[in-house]
Amino acid sequence: MLDLIRNPVSGRLSTSDSTLVGAFVVSSLVLLWITVQGKLDEWLYVGYLAAWVAQNQASKRAAIARDALQQEERP
């Protein structure tokens, strides 16, 4: 599990990855709690999925841009 939130270059815990994992766990537990209480509306579930899909796509876009920049810097 720690390998998921470690920076592969330095081996230290990544603040951004740790925050992301924490947010995922908390939002998932809140969604689960609301479901158990019988108060889950479709818009809460759609919002939950949309937030995580948007974050994932933004992260991929940033990684692609970073990789393209690194490719340009190589001689």
Side-chain angles (χ1 to χ4, degrees), residues 28-64:
S28 297
L29 289 174
V30 168
L31 189 69
L32 181 63
W33 178 254
I34 290 172
T35 302
V36 168
Q37 296 295 316
K39 299 177 183 178
L40 179 66
D41 292 329
E42 290 106 15
W43 69 269
L44 288 171
Y45 185 67
V46 169
Y48 171 82
L49 288 177
W52 288 108
V53 167
Q55 183 281 329
N56 188 341
Q57 293 303 310
S59 177
K60 285 182 181 182
R61 184 174 210 157
I64 289 170

